[in-house]
Amino acid sequence: MASAGQMDPSVGAGLGESLSIHGSTEKLNSSAVNRILMEFLMYFGKAMLVFYPVYLTGYLGLSISWVLLCMVLATWWKKNRERKDTRIGTAIDFVDNETHVVNKELASALQMATWVNFPEVEKVGWVNKVLEQAWPFFGMYMDKLLRENIEPTIRLSNHALKMFSFTKIHFGNVPLKITGMRAYTHEVDQREVVLDLHISYDGDVNIDAVVKPPITAGIKGIKLRGMLRVILQPLIGQAPLVGGITFFFIRRPTLNINWTGMTNLLDSPAFSSLSEETINDIIASLMVLPNRMCVPLIDQLKMDQMRFPLPRGVVRVHLLEARDLVAMDTYMMGLVKDKSDPYATLRVGTRHFKSKTIKKTLNPTWNEVYEFVAHEAPGQELEMEIYDEDTDKDDFLGRYNLDLGEVKKEVEMDKWFTLEGIQKGEVHLKLQWLSLKCDPSLLRESADGLACAMLAVYLDNGSNLPKDHSEISELQKPGKQSKEARLTKKRTALPNSFVEFSIDKDIKKSKVVYASKDPVWEEGFTFFVHNVKTQQLKVQVKESEKKTQLGVLNLPLARLLNISDMTIDQRFPLERSGVNSQIKLKATLRILAVEKRPPKVIVNPPPQDKRQIPPTNKGASAPVSTPSATTTSSPALSNKTTPPAQASSPALAAETRNGSKETWQPPSSTSPMRRYDSQILLSENSTASPANMRRYDSHSLLSENSIASSRFDLSEGAAYPEAIRNHQGSFGEIQLTVRHATLRKKLIVQVISCRNIFRFSETGTDSYVRLYFLPDQSWIHRKRTQVKKGTVNPVFNHKFEFDVSLQEAQTRKLDVAVKNGKMFHSREIKDIGMVLLDLSQLDLTKGITEWYELTLPGLKKFS
């Protein structure tokens, strides 16, 4: 029976849960009541803070000028404070990442000394000397190419350009420069070499052309910056040792053009951005992935494999939300800040998407999904930018670029990314890497409209195309040609044709080939397929000016499932076309599959010392053994002992699970507060006294993907709550970033977030994170975050710093625990989960960001 001074927790809980608002079914507990009271007090305080100065001004009879002066001074102080905080934050970030920032700036510099060298990017001064010597001959080649190939094509493209001609072509005296080159040999196939060339061109180009007298146009000066990837493939055993050369831009290059003639209008503010974007799109359509420029050096080379190889995979991007964006909508000359109307743009190569616009918010939620084809990973980047939509010009809210190689390595990523180029803001993305499989049994159609397969189409050429629709009609009629055609004997004009591919509403067009009945396109296209059994690829050959059909082909995608390698490569006869009209194309179907993330392997685990320890506990009935057990009688001796070894061997784990012996160290009779650092492998038959064992370290064997070690506190006679003891499954995960700032001699630990932690109530859990930098365990050295209420996926983003050198940090450990932060709680243990990081196993100079599984070792022991 409970004493008079104590209250049954169940009764208190019942009273708290019985409170409810009249007319509402929502129940209030003590935490909700406290939160409502605090919100009311804060609202009342803010109201008093705003209205009392106004009342005081009127009471004292002061002029309105004093009020305006105070507002101006307050606004100036706030702006000055923000600029000062920004400068200080930038300086601190520079000090923390000084080596990375300096290397990045030097790598992007145009003029570097010849002796400057980077381990990844090499100086190639001899290549620049070759280019300087050969530049006049390159100008001669471009002069011939523009006059003999480009000029006739421009004239045929439009009737208004029939008199187009180049009057002057001069590529100047300043050659192209390669500021750095990186070669890939070990990371790629043995029969190829991959080169990344950082190109910088600031040339004195002078090109003049006559569009139609007296209209002239021209270019005088071009600036080009970008990274060109060159692939030498395949390597062969005969001259010239390389079968072909493929080159392309992985990302869109930056381009600035100085226009002359009538095109000077493009330099005006209204047209300059349009012209640069248009020229960038033209370059992207020719040389940015997935488009490639190929130069075959031998006859046996297959051009379709060079121009359009199968992609590496598919990246599925979930654009979830953003938070803490900058308010761009202002009033009263910037004195009053409102909110923003954010939207996001995502780009990979030439594929571009724009999200919906969320009105009047700094924390938008999109929940949109986009899919991109990855042709080069690593190499290609996901370019994401956020803007504030306005009627005149959209304001920039930040950007973030992510290499697709990181997604391929991690398989799945779900994290917040800090926006760059802006003062603050974060975006939440979930990314998945989907592999391309040639196995029809892996086909799984998605119910939420996501793609289940990818179709790659390589368009080669056509043959015997009709001139136009009238010729098709004449060929379809039996008998001889019309009387007019026989009398005039007019020569048939050659068609200007292009091909249009479509799968449902996804439509893509090829380039236009002018004046040819046997056009050669040599282009590749990719489509995302949602239903293989019902969808089909529709191919239409059209005339460019009249948009009339010259032939049609329908290819059911289900036909590819029963073909070897799910690939068809042949000539297809065109329907509703000429008698012998054909088109040659290659179609390849691949199934999208999510691969499992490979388990992390601990390299070079510390040696384990096995010792036999006699039992001293009354509850132990058999001898016990401890692998890697080290005891310390006082904290002063802890630095001289060997750190505890982790369970890194599958054989050891299996032996432990199958064995019946318990392995733990008994408490000392002289010191009940003795600390144990050991690998504790508890069995169901073993017992221990929680009164004697106050604290110990345990390496969990529950997860292979986390540093499975935990640490918890036990009070004498205390136990876990019944809800935790009855819980089956994981207690959640915590995401941490750990790195060391060498120059500042500080260990930086950032607690980012947790996910799927134990739920204590219907509304969630009030949780916080506690840190100890062992062996410092007193309350003075304790670090903790703020309490996040009512959620099982709390986001902390709290950074802690410890003054310690790199050498000392590598000899210590980090004790992290997630705890229940409810204000009124019982004497039960508040631990939700723990992790113990051995910093000697981490690369602190580069830093690491990982998810770690929360465990509660010893739960069976005390349940």
Side-chain angles (χ1 to χ4, degrees):
M1 182 175 181
S3 61
Q6 295 179 343
M7 181 178 181
D8 190 357
S10 62
V11 177
L15 292 175
E17 294 177 355
S18 63
L19 293 176
S20 61
I21 301 175
H22 179 69
S24 174
T25 60
E26 181 181 3
K27 296 181 179 180
L28 297 178
N29 51 25
S30 59
S31 177
V33 173
N34 292 333
R35 186 170 64 252
I36 293 175
L37 291 177
M38 291 299 298
E39 290 179 356
F40 175 75
L41 291 176
M42 291 179 63
Y43 179 79
F44 181 76
K46 290 180 180 179
M48 290 296 297
L49 187 65
V50 172
F51 290 110
Y52 184 73
V54 178
Y55 166 77
L56 186 63
T57 303
Y59 179 79
L60 297 177
L62 299 178
S63 172
I64 192 64
S65 302
W66 290 101
V67 179
L68 295 177
L69 180 61
C70 292
M71 292 178 60
V72 171
L73 292 177
T75 304
W76 173 83
W77 179 84
K78 184 177 180 181
K79 293 285 186 181
N80 187 49
R81 185 67 181 178
E82 290 179 355
R83 287 193 293 266
K84 184 178 180 180
D85 292 341
T86 302
R87 291 195 300 268
I88 295 175
T90 303
I92 293 176
D93 292 339
F94 174 74
V95 172
D96 291 342
N97 306 279
E98 183 176 1
T99 303
H100 175 72
V101 174
V102 171
N103 288 339
K104 183 178 179 180
E105 293 297 327
L106 288 178
S108 62
L110 300 180
Q111 301 295 334
M112 292 187 294
T114 57
W115 48 265
V116 176
N117 184 32
F118 296 94
E120 296 182 350
V121 181
E122 301 177 359
K123 296 288 292 182
V124 284
W126 63 273
V127 177
N128 292 325
K129 292 181 179 179
V130 172
L131 290 175
E132 183 177 359
Q133 193 75 7
W135 192 252
F137 301 94
F138 173 78
M140 295 169 58
Y141 168 75
M142 291 300 298
D143 188 313
K144 184 178 180 180
L145 178 66
L146 291 175
R147 295 186 187 276
E148 296 181 1
N149 295 64
I150 305 300
E151 185 176 299
T153 303
I154 294 177
R155 290 180 177 179
L156 291 173
S157 63
N158 197 311
H159 290 288
L161 300 176
K162 286 185 176 181
M163 301 184 66
F164 179 88
S165 63
F166 290 102
T167 58
K168 182 180 180 180
I169 299 176
H170 180 58
F171 273 78
N173 300 318
V174 180
L176 181 76
K177 288 187 178 181
I178 299 177
T179 59
M181 181 179 71
R182 182 179 182 183
Y184 301 87
T185 55
H186 300 288
E187 302 89 344
V188 297
D189 188 79
Q190 293 183 353
R191 298 193 60 188
E192 68 177 4
V193 175
V194 178
L195 304 175
D196 283 345
L197 306 180
H198 297 266
I199 293 177
S200 173
Y201 179 56
D202 191 357
D204 52 346
V205 178
N206 193 354
I207 299 177
D208 294 331
V210 176
V211 180
K212 186 176 181 180
I215 301 176
T216 62
I219 297 174
K220 190 173 183 180
I222 296 178
K223 293 182 179 180
L224 178 66
R225 305 286 186 277
M227 187 181 73
L228 186 71
R229 172 160 291 187
V230 180
I231 301 178
L232 309 178
Q233 179 189 17
L235 302 180
I236 56 178
Q238 59 185 12
L241 301 181
V242 178
I245 302 175
T246 305
F247 53 95
F248 51 84
F249 284 101
I250 293 182
R251 294 176 289 275
R252 294 163 60 90
T254 59
L255 181 68
N256 294 321
I257 298 177
N258 183 22
W259 302 95
T260 61
M262 291 296 294
T263 50
N264 272 328
L265 292 174
L266 298 176
D267 280 334
S268 62
F271 296 96
S272 59
S273 60
L274 174 64
S275 66
E276 293 177 7
E277 184 176 355
T278 303
I279 297 299
N280 267 321
D281 290 339
I282 294 174
I283 294 178
S285 64
L286 298 175
M287 296 186 64
V288 175
L289 279 176
N291 305 292
R292 304 167 185 247
M293 299 292 291
C294 302
V295 180
L297 302 180
I298 58 176
D299 297 333
Q300 298 84 1
L301 198 63
K302 294 184 178 181
M303 291 301 297
D304 59 333
Q305 296 181 0
M306 283 191 65
R307 292 185 183 276
F308 193 67
L310 278 179
R312 308 284 185 180
V314 172
V315 175
R316 183 172 291 161
V317 181
H318 298 256
L319 177 62
L320 301 179
E321 56 185 328
R323 66 186 180 193
D324 200 20
L325 298 179
V326 178
M328 289 295 181
D329 296 336
T330 58
Y331 304 97
M332 295 180 62
M333 300 178 64
L335 296 178
V336 180
K337 287 188 176 181
D338 193 19
K339 297 183 179 180
S340 297
D341 305 323
Y343 69 90
T345 62
L346 296 93
R347 181 192 301 272
V348 174
T350 58
R351 192 171 177 85
H352 178 266
F353 291 103
K354 177 182 177 181
S355 72
K356 61 184 177 183
T357 303
I358 309 299
K359 297 291 185 180
K360 301 297 181 182
T361 181
L362 299 180
N363 301 286
T365 300
W366 291 287
N367 288 328
E368 298 181 359
V369 184
Y370 307 97
E371 293 169 324
F372 298 94
V373 177
H375 295 271
E376 293 291 329
Q380 279 187 292
E381 287 186 349
L382 170 65
E383 306 172 27
M384 191 208 62
E385 295 180 340
I386 299 180
Y387 291 92
D388 170 38
E389 187 176 64
D390 288 324
T391 55
D392 48 358
K393 184 179 179 181
D394 297 343
D395 297 318
F396 178 72
L397 292 178
R399 70 168 61 88
Y400 190 83
N401 294 350
L402 178 65
D403 196 311
L404 299 185
E406 295 293 329
V407 186
K408 182 180 179 181
K409 179 181 177 181
E410 298 292 334
V411 181
E412 290 189 5
M413 300 178 65
D414 186 357
K415 59 186 298 186
W416 288 87
F417 298 94
T418 302
L419 296 176
E420 301 174 354
I422 200 70
Q423 294 89 349
K424 60 179 182 177
E426 292 179 302
V427 62
H428 187 192
L429 298 178
K430 179 182 178 182
L431 304 104
Q432 291 177 299
W433 177 267
L434 306 177
S435 301
L436 305 180
K437 299 295 182 180
C438 185
D439 186 0
S441 63
L442 299 177
L443 182 62
R444 299 290 186 273
E445 294 181 358
S446 176
D448 49 6
L450 301 178
C452 63
M454 188 205 72
L455 179 69
V457 181
Y458 178 75
L459 174 63
D460 195 341
N461 59 67
S463 60
N464 299 319
L465 296 184
K467 179 191 67 174
D468 52 21
H469 187 72
S470 61
E471 183 177 344
I472 298 175
S473 303
E474 293 175 2
L475 291 174
Q476 290 176 349
K477 293 180 181 180
K480 299 181 181 180
Q481 296 180 349
S482 63
K483 181 178 180 180
E484 181 181 359
R486 293 197 307 270
L487 292 176
T488 57
K489 295 182 181 181
K490 183 178 180 181
R491 183 179 179 183
T492 303
L494 299 177
N496 303 328
S497 59
F498 70 96
V499 181
E500 180 179 287
F501 296 93
S502 62
I503 296 181
D504 293 340
K505 296 182 180 181
D506 190 3
I507 301 175
K508 297 182 180 180
K509 300 179 181 179
S510 72
K511 64 182 179 182
V512 179
V513 177
Y514 296 96
S516 176
K517 292 180 67 68
D518 303 315
V520 178
W521 292 285
E522 293 184 342
E523 287 187 89
F525 307 91
T526 56
F527 297 88
F528 289 108
V529 182
H530 301 84
N531 193 327
V532 178
K533 297 180 180 179
T534 60
Q535 290 182 310
Q536 63 179 358
L537 175 66
K538 185 176 182 180
V539 183
Q540 301 181 69
V541 183
K542 294 186 176 182
E543 203 275 334
S544 62
E545 295 182 0
K546 300 179 181 179
K547 308 296 182 183
T548 56
Q549 288 187 358
L550 301 180
V552 178
L553 170 66
N554 292 325
L555 179 63
L557 301 183
R559 178 180 173 185
L560 298 174
L561 292 176
N562 303 322
I563 300 178
S564 176
D565 196 34
M566 301 174 67
T567 302
I568 185 170
D569 185 4
Q570 67 180 55
R571 287 188 174 274
F572 296 89
L574 293 174
E575 300 177 1
R576 297 196 292 273
S577 184
V579 179
N580 298 321
S581 298
Q582 295 180 336
I583 185 173
K584 183 180 180 183
L585 55 85
K586 177 181 179 182
T588 303
L589 185 68
R590 289 293 181 264
I591 308 300
L592 302 183
V594 179
E595 294 186 352
K596 294 183 179 179
R597 183 176 179 180
K600 295 186 177 180
V601 180
I602 301 177
V603 183
N604 298 328
Q608 298 185 2
D609 182 19
K610 297 184 179 180
R611 284 182 281 176
Q612 298 287 337
I613 299 180
T616 58
N617 190 11
K618 296 180 181 180
S621 59
V624 295
S625 61
T626 305
S628 178
T630 57
T631 60
T632 58
S633 58
S634 64
L637 300 176
S638 61
N639 293 334
K640 300 180 181 180
T641 60
T642 306
Q646 297 184 2
S648 59
S649 173
L652 176 62
E655 180 182 356
T656 304
R657 289 191 296 268
N658 298 329
S660 60
K661 296 181 179 181
E662 61 175 358
T663 57
W664 65 289
Q665 283 198 355
S668 172
S669 59
T670 59
S671 177
M673 294 296 293
R674 188 172 182 177
R675 175 173 169 262
Y676 298 93
D677 292 332
S678 62
Q679 181 178 5
I680 297 179
L681 305 173
L682 298 175
S683 65
E684 297 180 358
N685 299 326
S686 62
T687 59
S689 173
N692 294 331
M693 185 163 55
R694 300 288 299 223
R695 176 182 289 272
Y696 62 87
D697 292 341
S698 171
H699 290 270
S700 170
L701 301 176
L702 299 178
S703 174
E704 296 180 358
N705 296 333
S706 64
I707 297 181
S709 58
S710 303
R711 188 179 190 88
F712 62 95
D713 298 317
L714 292 178
S715 300
E716 187 170 348
Y720 287 104
E722 182 179 359
I724 289 185
R725 295 199 304 269
N726 297 333
H727 178 69
Q728 300 293 330
S730 174
F731 289 94
E733 294 177 300
I734 184 171
Q735 188 180 25
L736 302 173
T737 297
V738 183
R739 62 186 178 92
H740 189 273
T742 307
L743 296 179
R744 298 173 57 201
K745 294 184 178 181
K746 287 182 180 292
L747 179 69
I748 300 175
V749 180
Q750 184 175 6
V751 181
I752 302 176
S753 62
C754 296
R755 63 186 180 190
N756 301 325
I757 63 175
F758 182 79
R759 182 187 295 271
F760 274 94
S761 64
E762 296 181 357
T763 59
T765 300
D766 299 344
S767 59
Y768 68 94
V769 178
R770 185 268 301 149
L771 285 85
Y772 282 125
F773 190 40
L774 302 180
D776 300 331
Q777 305 173 42
S778 62
W779 66 270
I780 301 178
H781 300 95
R782 185 181 67 168
K783 308 280 188 180
R784 58 167 291 176
T785 65
Q786 295 179 348
V787 177
K788 299 297 181 180
K789 297 184 178 181
T791 178
V792 295
N793 299 297
V795 178
F796 300 99
N797 281 331
H798 202 117
K799 184 167 66 174
F800 303 97
E801 295 184 353
F802 301 93
D803 295 324
V804 63
S805 63
L806 178 61
Q807 291 76 13
E808 183 181 353
Q810 292 175 342
T811 63
R812 302 175 72 173
K813 298 179 183 179
L814 188 67
D815 179 6
V816 184
V818 182
K819 292 180 175 288
N820 180 16
K822 194 173 182 180
M823 184 176 297
F824 302 103
H825 57 80
S826 63
R827 293 176 60 104
E828 294 177 332
I829 296 176
K830 299 188 299 180
D831 293 316
I832 299 175
M834 306 85 170
V835 171
L836 182 68
L837 298 184
D838 188 354
L839 301 184
S840 63
Q841 304 295 325
L842 305 180
D843 189 353
L844 299 179
T845 56
K846 293 183 179 179
I848 183 173
T849 300
E850 289 290 345
W851 284 95
Y852 301 99
E853 184 175 353
L854 299 173
T855 57
L856 288 176
L859 183 59
K860 291 184 179 180
K861 190 76 174 179
F862 303 103
S863 62

